[in-house]
Amino acid sequence: MENVKNYELMLGERKLSIEIGKLAQQTNGSCFINLQDTTLLVTATDGESRPGTDFFPLTIDFEERMYSIGKIPGSFFKREGRPTTDAILAARMTDRPIRPMFPKGYTRDVQVVCTVMASDRENPADVLGTIGASISLGLSTLPFEGPVSSVRVGRINGELIAFPTYEEIADSDIELIVSGNKDSILMIEAGTKEISEEAIIEAIEFATEIIKALNEFQETIFKDNDVVKDTFEAKEIDNEIAEAVNEAVNQYDDITSVLNQEGFKGVNELCAKIHENLSAEGKFEGLEFNLVKAIVEKDLKNRIRTKVIKEGVRVDGRKSDDIRELSSEVGILPRVHGTGLFSRGATQVLSVATLGNIAEKQRLDNISPGEYKRYMHHYNFPAFSVGEAGFMRGPGRREIGHGMLAEKALMPVLPSEEDFPYAIRVVSDVLSSNGSTSQASICGSSLALMDAGVPITAPVAGIAMGLITDSNSDDFAILTDIAGLEDAFGDMDFKVAGTKKGITAIQLDIKLKKLPANFLNDVFSKAKIAREQILKVMESAIQTPREEVSEHAPTIEIITIDKE
């Protein structure tokens, strides 16, 4: 084919190759991406904005084809069904750095599909999905403000490795995935074996150099293809409507009480009241509720930012590094093997541990190596946890992601199968939510495991850090233990979990295109102080694992017979 183009980049001893113009020619943008013999087809398509849409409807799908490893699916139907956990996590990992790179106010439907078409079962495909998504969007007419690249970093015997194989990941004490644009880090995902903050920062800095090379590689592809991008200008809000709504907010008696209500209850009630009053006046015919809500939330967002940055006081009266009231309990349910109830402010999570015969470990049917999983962590977020009515369905992408983050955080402290021959499942049910339930589930699960008699080497605690920036200056504030409104109206959600010894898991999402200077040292330092405070409260409930497993758990005895 005349229009087929190939590009190559050496990543150490591995070759990354890109082919465009051969496959999926009906899409807005596509590429064929290979790392050794792991191959993905990544496509980008778009559609018209749906009426009433007030958010960016980006969909990232990660499709694992079992033919990629020469295997027939193990299900009864013998075809791929719902995405595997690995596929869901890979889709989330691509969505998070790609989403901030579209202009605010963009509401066209955009879909990126990453299809794994061949896998050597040595090189993971997930980070390739992010690189491929960026290339496909960069080659499209969509107003994507990339490029964005992603790299996985491992560390073996103190040596950092870019794009480690599955075997190298298993031998690493750090598994770090970093995504970024040409200006800054956009996402971090990590599972580590109680590693120091300094070592993590060193690995992140190593990753940023690889990302820089990958982004420059993408830029050469974009320049070589000379794509004409669609122009986009955000729809201007009618000044008269904006003034009327802002005036209504200013006239409200006690805006502080609105912001201090748990979650968005107070904000939603205020928006509804202003919309009702303005509609009744008849001045603005057909006034949309979503428009009123957007104006009100922008006003409140500015108030929150000003209060935090200028006055050093948060919505609920806390200082930037204050943690809400903490409490921990164990053994609160009868019959079950172990329970932990952890509360932080209005966020409350109940974790329940169940021990089973080792034969009950989960069998996996996916393209990555490994056939079984012994430890399972499942996270549930029912609608009642935020005071709403909703359908009770299976876990969504958010629940899968939060469950895996907690699983990653706890894996380094679990005993080996030889020392503790049980299958272990922990279920974390969110009973009440006002910020960072994923980190509360880590704390509750540590308590539940110790209550069940699982000999973990140390309890693990997690904390969510936030960021408030000033668009008119370089001023910013790092917030410890962010509540729901601070998460929604702030610029970052940075979750750090670990023991007294070191970090076991990290997850960073930001809404900015660039982080402030010297940010990482500050945020890790504050997160460590907070983690140690939480661990002290957890120790007040239970200090060490119970000496024996629960009387309701199965008893396993191991007898070694002399070979003679």
Side-chain angles (χ1 to χ4, degrees):
M1 294 184 182
E2 293 182 5
N3 296 325
V4 175
K5 296 181 180 180
N6 293 282
Y7 305 88
E8 293 182 355
L9 176 68
M10 292 305 298
L11 300 166
E13 298 179 355
R14 299 185 179 91
K15 181 173 70 175
L16 179 72
S17 60
I18 306 295
E19 185 178 65
I20 63 172
K22 183 177 181 179
L23 302 176
Q25 295 175 27
Q26 298 298 315
T27 62
N28 200 330
S30 66
C31 73
F32 205 47
I33 180 169
N34 302 67
L35 182 62
Q36 301 299 92
D37 285 340
T38 293
T39 305
L40 283 76
L41 172 65
V42 186
T43 61
T45 51
D46 64 309
E48 295 295 330
S49 298
R50 288 170 282 181
T53 302
D54 61 347
F55 63 95
F56 175 35
L58 171 67
T59 303
I60 307 287
D61 289 308
F62 195 92
E63 298 286 314
E64 294 177 322
R65 297 288 185 256
M66 294 305 287
Y67 61 65
S68 67
I69 57 171
K71 185 177 178 182
I72 296 173
S75 69
F76 180 81
F77 297 101
K78 296 300 177 186
R79 69 176 297 164
E80 292 85 357
R82 70 185 298 272
T84 64
T85 295
D86 284 353
I88 290 170
L89 296 172
R92 279 172 54 86
M93 207 159 58
T94 295
D95 184 299
R96 285 152 52 196
I98 292 292
R99 188 175 291 273
M101 302 308 292
F102 279 83
K104 289 185 178 179
Y106 193 72
T107 58
R108 283 181 67 86
D109 264 313
V110 176
Q111 183 181 31
V112 175
V113 181
C114 309
T115 306
V116 182
M117 309 192 86
S119 172
D120 56 16
R121 306 197 90 180
E122 291 183 6
N123 295 282
D126 48 9
V127 292
L128 300 183
T130 303
I131 299 169
S134 176
I135 293 172
S136 297
L137 290 166
L139 293 171
S140 74
T141 61
L142 301 174
F144 174 67
E145 299 169 356
V148 170
S149 293
S150 184
V151 60
R152 177 182 267 103
V153 173
R155 191 179 77 160
I156 301 176
N157 299 324
E159 182 181 353
L160 294 168
I161 305 167
F163 294 97
T165 62
Y166 284 113
E167 186 176 344
E168 289 170 332
I169 292 169
D171 293 335
S172 294
D173 59 3
I174 292 176
E175 184 187 0
L176 172 73
I177 298 171
V178 182
S179 300
N181 60 9
K182 60 184 178 181
D183 296 317
S184 178
I185 293 167
L186 297 174
M187 186 217 72
I188 297 174
E189 185 89 24
T192 67
K193 297 177 181 178
E194 298 181 276
I195 299 301
S196 70
E197 284 75 7
E198 293 77 16
I200 292 291
I201 292 172
E202 181 186 1
I204 292 171
E205 290 172 347
F206 174 79
T208 56
E209 291 301 312
I210 309 296
I211 288 170
K212 181 180 177 182
L214 287 165
N215 283 335
E216 289 174 353
F217 174 59
Q218 289 192 51
E219 290 281 9
T220 62
I221 297 175
F222 299 155
K223 288 176 183 177
D224 188 43
N225 289 274
D226 194 25
V227 178
V228 178
K229 291 288 187 180
D230 296 335
T231 57
F232 171 75
E233 292 183 8
K235 185 179 178 181
E236 293 291 333
I237 296 175
D238 185 287
N239 287 334
E240 196 174 354
I241 295 175
E243 288 175 6
V245 174
N246 289 329
E247 182 63 27
V249 175
N250 290 332
Q251 290 177 355
Y252 203 78
D253 293 335
D254 189 4
I255 206 71
T256 303
S257 65
V258 170
L259 296 173
N260 274 335
Q261 292 189 46
E262 302 297 351
F264 279 82
K265 184 179 179 182
V267 174
N268 290 335
E269 288 177 356
L270 175 61
C271 293
K273 187 172 291 186
I274 291 174
H275 178 257
E276 182 183 351
N277 292 341
L278 291 178
S279 297
E281 291 176 7
K283 187 176 180 181
F284 306 108
E285 187 177 347
L287 181 63
E288 295 181 2
F289 173 76
N290 284 343
L291 177 58
V292 173
K293 186 178 180 183
I295 298 170
V296 171
E297 289 185 349
K298 184 178 180 181
D299 184 294
L300 297 179
K301 185 176 181 178
N302 290 334
R303 290 169 186 261
I304 290 172
R305 288 169 181 264
T306 300
K307 197 171 182 64
V308 170
I309 293 177
K310 303 299 182 187
E311 302 175 28
V313 180
R314 295 157 73 171
V315 171
D316 55 10
R318 286 185 290 158
K319 295 180 181 178
S320 62
D321 54 357
D322 285 346
I323 303 175
R324 289 168 291 176
E325 184 180 355
L326 302 168
S327 70
S328 299
E329 294 181 55
V330 295
I332 64 172
L333 292 180
R335 306 296 301 179
V336 302
H337 301 166
T339 54
L341 180 66
F342 181 82
S343 302
R344 188 183 58 249
T347 292
Q348 186 181 59
V349 177
L350 175 67
S351 294
V352 181
T354 305
L355 306 179
N357 189 299
I358 197 66
E360 294 182 83
K361 58 188 176 182
Q362 182 181 4
R363 183 171 182 175
L364 305 174
D365 189 26
N366 51 27
I367 65 173
S368 59
E371 295 184 11
Y372 294 96
K373 186 164 75 168
R374 170 190 172 226
Y375 174 64
M376 299 150 277
H377 189 284
H378 297 149
Y379 165 102
N380 299 313
F381 191 90
F384 67 73
S385 66
V386 287
E388 296 177 357
F391 292 105
M392 299 296 287
R393 290 176 176 154
R397 289 187 173 193
R398 180 179 178 277
E399 285 84 355
I400 296 292
H402 281 5
M404 185 52 65
L405 178 61
E407 192 172 297
K408 246 183 221 180
L410 291 159
M411 281 292 289
V413 301
L414 291 173
S416 67
E417 186 175 321
E418 290 73 23
D419 293 335
F420 193 72
Y422 285 90
I424 307 167
R425 180 182 184 234
V426 176
V427 178
S428 292
D429 285 313
V430 179
L431 306 184
S432 177
S433 171
N434 186 24
S436 193
T437 52
S438 65
Q439 300 308 283
S441 73
I442 292 170
C443 300
S445 298
S446 290
L447 298 170
L449 289 168
M450 290 193 287
D451 187 45
V454 180
I456 61 175
T457 56
V460 181
I463 189 70
M465 310 297 292
L467 176 68
I468 298 288
T469 58
D470 184 353
S471 58
N472 299 317
S473 69
D474 294 331
D475 295 339
F476 68 91
I478 295 173
L479 306 182
T480 299
D481 177 27
I482 53 174
L485 279 180
E486 293 169 334
D487 186 4
F489 291 164
D491 297 312
M492 176 191 77
D493 184 7
F494 196 173
K495 300 164 184 170
V496 185
T499 63
K500 286 182 179 178
K501 182 179 176 182
I503 293 171
T504 58
I506 301 171
Q507 189 177 85
L508 165 67
D509 293 311
I510 70 166
K511 301 171 189 175
L512 303 170
K513 291 184 175 67
K514 185 176 182 180
L515 283 170
N518 301 318
F519 166 78
L520 288 176
N521 287 305
D522 289 345
V523 75
F524 275 122
S525 175
K526 291 176 183 292
K528 183 178 182 180
I529 293 169
R531 187 169 78 243
E532 291 172 349
Q533 287 180 248
I534 294 170
L535 285 168
K536 286 180 181 178
V537 174
M538 291 168 61
E539 288 173 359
S540 68
I542 183 169
Q543 291 188 344
T544 57
R546 302 200 189 281
E547 293 184 2
E548 296 183 359
V549 299
S550 165
E551 61 178 313
H552 301 296
T555 302
I556 295 176
E557 292 185 10
I558 299 176
I559 300 173
T560 304
I561 300 173
D562 193 296
K563 291 180 180 179
E564 298 299 321

